[in-house]
Amino acid sequence: MAKQFKPETLCVQAGWSPKKGEPRVLPIYQSTTFKYDSSEQMARLFDLEESGYFYTRLQNPTNDAVAAKIAALEGGVGAILTSSGQAANYYALFNICEAGDHFVCSSAIYGGTFNLFNVTMRKMGIDVTFVNPDDSEEEIGKAFRPNTKALFGESISNPSLEVLDIEKFAHIAHRHGVPLIVDNTFPTPINCRPFEWGADIVVHSTTKYMDGHATSVGGCIVDSGNFDWDAHADKFPGLCTPDESYHGLTYTKAFGKMAYITKATAQLMRDLGSIPSPFNSFLLNLGLETLHLRVPRHCQNAQRVAEYLQANDKVAWVNYSGLPGNKYHELAQKYMPNGSCGVISFGLKGGRDVAIRFMDHLKLVAIVTHVADARTCVLHPASHTHRQLTDEQLLEAGVRPDLIRLSVGIENADDIIADIEQALKA
């Protein structure tokens, strides 16, 4: 389906193709388990000799249909849904890293992801080196070691809104024989398709624009199928050597381009179990059906709000790649010519205290620990999502202490601006 249709059609139609007499709308398969007629049938499923459903922790028809839709939108060969965006980030790396391994990561990433990589994964024996994404290829290349297994970055970083030079990062990763993993949550595949620029694996927090209504936490990993694991077999034994927990099956030999996603499903999901509920996947699918309509509206509204803020004398600075003169404007034009996302960051004259007072006076715009849904919302990362970081770490992650993250929704732009205006006056 992916080759035939454009993204708008895929949003509505991909993933679920009902046969005669089946429900037109994707059903919720709210069942933990599935029936078989013989013991032998089920045994073949457990040995990965046949595909099918036997237990929802591994696979579920509702979850799989939605994963297939996201894979089609990104142009990948396969995908797996997870219970959260953080689970997707963790699985994407843990699928190819183990204790004693190392990966390289852009320093401009979401605070929660920074903690996962910098604190929790280090406790598991997986080391990370953070690099400035704006550095040269040579400079970033110095971070690689013989045991480096991946390079990671966010297409648009949350909340610093730095645009990743995907082509540059892909070149660095491939020169060192490792895949590039890109978190594409903010632009979504409607505005950016990292595989077309050399990325190998894409992750999403589907909680954001994909769900779009703040109803369901979720994540997704999509594999392009383009990285040649066997060409670097010594680096990736988990994919290229026999898995004793499946009678010595080798994923690359048995599943070809589907090796990476199959291993994530059959091994990591089997053992760690971070699955979404079928009901949450059903809600995610409803969100995906209008993704192509909502994303342009988010971007149009954000552009208008960013222009208003830039012209306001109470505003110290505005960061939005849609503004000409923005540091990332040219990169955004290259990778996201139709718009970036609906998130703006800005600071007010007077710093952190003024920012907090401004937020407390907003009426239409809500203070929530969320971003990228239909309603306009606001957050002060230094006080909220990134409060575990020191001022030095904040600046390293591209988060200024006075930064306000404004997620512009799909309401009327005049109403959003009017609310900001009254709060600034107050």
Side-chain angles (χ1 to χ4, degrees):
M1 190 175 221
K3 288 181 174 65
Q4 293 170 254
F5 297 114
K6 292 186 166 59
E8 297 85 346
T9 306
L10 295 173
C11 279
V12 181
Q13 296 270 8
W16 172 247
S17 302
K19 299 178 185 73
K20 182 181 175 183
E22 286 187 337
R24 184 67 192 89
V25 174
L26 173 67
I28 307 167
Y29 286 88
Q30 196 69 42
S31 178
T32 60
T33 192
F34 301 83
K35 177 189 174 291
Y36 286 87
D37 293 331
S38 74
S39 174
E40 178 58 32
Q41 285 177 330
M42 189 166 277
R44 286 199 295 273
L45 295 173
F46 271 96
D47 283 345
L48 303 183
E49 288 171 3
E50 282 183 19
S51 62
Y53 299 101
F54 55 93
Y55 197 57
T56 282
R57 187 173 79 233
L58 283 141
Q59 288 174 296
N60 173 285
T62 307
N63 294 354
D64 284 2
V66 182
K69 177 175 283 190
I70 296 171
L73 283 166
E74 285 287 8
V77 294
I80 180 175
L81 296 187
T82 59
S83 55
S84 69
Q86 284 299 68
N89 285 333
Y90 173 60
Y91 278 32
L93 283 157
F94 195 59
N95 203 31
I96 49 175
C97 293
E98 56 187 57
D101 286 343
H102 168 260
F103 65 98
V104 179
C105 183
S106 163
S107 61
I109 57 169
Y110 169 59
T113 309
F114 185 89
N115 285 336
L116 168 66
F117 293 170
N118 193 47
V119 180
T120 304
M121 287 182 73
R122 284 192 203 273
K123 288 178 185 172
M124 297 170 175
I126 299 168
D127 201 6
V128 60
T129 301
F130 292 99
V131 294
N132 180 342
D134 296 335
D135 279 349
S136 68
E137 286 192 25
E138 289 67 37
E139 198 57 38
I140 293 169
K142 290 175 188 171
F144 284 76
R145 306 173 189 169
N147 63 338
T148 302
K149 299 299 169 76
L151 178 59
F152 185 99
E154 293 179 357
S155 51
I156 299 178
S157 59
N158 174 13
S160 59
L161 305 180
E162 296 180 35
V163 177
L164 187 73
D165 191 341
I166 302 168
E167 206 166 30
K168 177 179 87 174
F169 261 56
H171 190 252
I172 297 165
H174 298 155
R175 212 173 66 210
H176 291 90
V178 302
L180 171 61
I181 304 173
V182 173
D183 183 327
N184 197 34
T185 296
F186 269 14
T188 81
I190 299 302
N191 280 349
C192 179
R193 284 160 58 91
F195 293 155
E196 293 173 3
W197 300 100
D200 300 290
I201 294 152
V202 158
V203 289
H204 285 276
S205 169
T206 61
T207 317
K208 312 300 190 301
Y209 289 119
M210 283 188 167
D211 170 82
H213 301 82
T215 61
S216 317
V217 173
C220 186
I221 307 168
V222 188
D223 183 12
S224 67
N226 294 333
F227 192 82
D228 189 345
W229 305 104
D230 280 325
H232 309 280
D234 56 324
K235 269 189 185 287
F236 305 104
L239 285 160
C240 305
T241 60
D243 178 358
E244 294 315 320
S245 68
Y246 278 111
H247 310 299
L249 169 148
T250 300
Y251 292 100
T252 52
K253 284 191 174 75
F255 301 104
K257 284 185 180 292
M258 288 297 289
Y260 176 89
I261 288 293
T262 304
K263 178 179 179 289
T265 306
Q267 196 186 76
L268 300 191
M269 205 55 95
R270 175 196 65 190
D271 296 345
L272 300 171
S274 306
I275 57 155
S277 76
F279 182 65
N280 275 13
S281 298
F282 173 82
L283 292 174
L284 168 57
N285 188 57
L286 292 181
L288 287 167
E289 288 182 355
T290 61
L291 185 66
H292 61 294
L293 300 174
R294 290 182 288 104
V295 166
R297 178 59 176 258
H298 281 289
C299 293
Q300 288 159 14
N301 280 359
Q303 186 69 29
R304 280 199 55 200
V305 172
E307 287 166 4
Y308 163 79
L309 289 168
Q310 194 175 43
N312 193 297
D313 60 4
K314 291 181 181 174
V315 176
W317 58 272
V318 183
N319 181 18
Y320 187 66
S321 63
L323 295 172
N326 179 273
K327 184 181 176 184
Y328 296 100
H329 185 69
E330 276 182 41
L331 271 183
Q333 291 296 304
K334 175 179 174 176
Y335 295 116
M336 308 153 199
N338 298 324
S340 56
C341 65
V343 184
I344 300 167
S345 62
F346 66 100
L348 298 177
K349 290 172 183 171
R352 190 186 279 226
D353 295 338
V354 172
I356 290 164
R357 287 210 305 279
F358 159 75
M359 285 167 56
D360 289 347
H361 279 93
L362 291 163
K363 291 171 183 168
L364 174 75
V365 181
I367 301 171
V368 298
T369 317
H370 199 246
V371 67
D373 73 62
R375 302 160 200 84
T376 301
C377 55
V378 71
L379 188 81
H380 182 240
S383 302
H384 305 138
T385 50
H386 290 59
R387 68 179 296 123
Q388 288 87 357
L389 306 187
T390 63
D391 275 8
E392 194 178 80
Q393 285 175 320
L394 281 170
L395 292 170
E396 210 175 283
V399 182
R400 294 163 62 149
D402 64 338
L403 182 149
I404 297 167
R405 183 184 74 183
L406 180 68
S407 176
V408 181
I410 56 173
E411 307 94 342
N412 185 288
D414 293 336
D415 292 336
I416 299 166
I417 290 167
D419 190 40
I420 293 168
E421 193 159 353
Q422 68 78 26
L424 285 171
K425 281 177 184 164

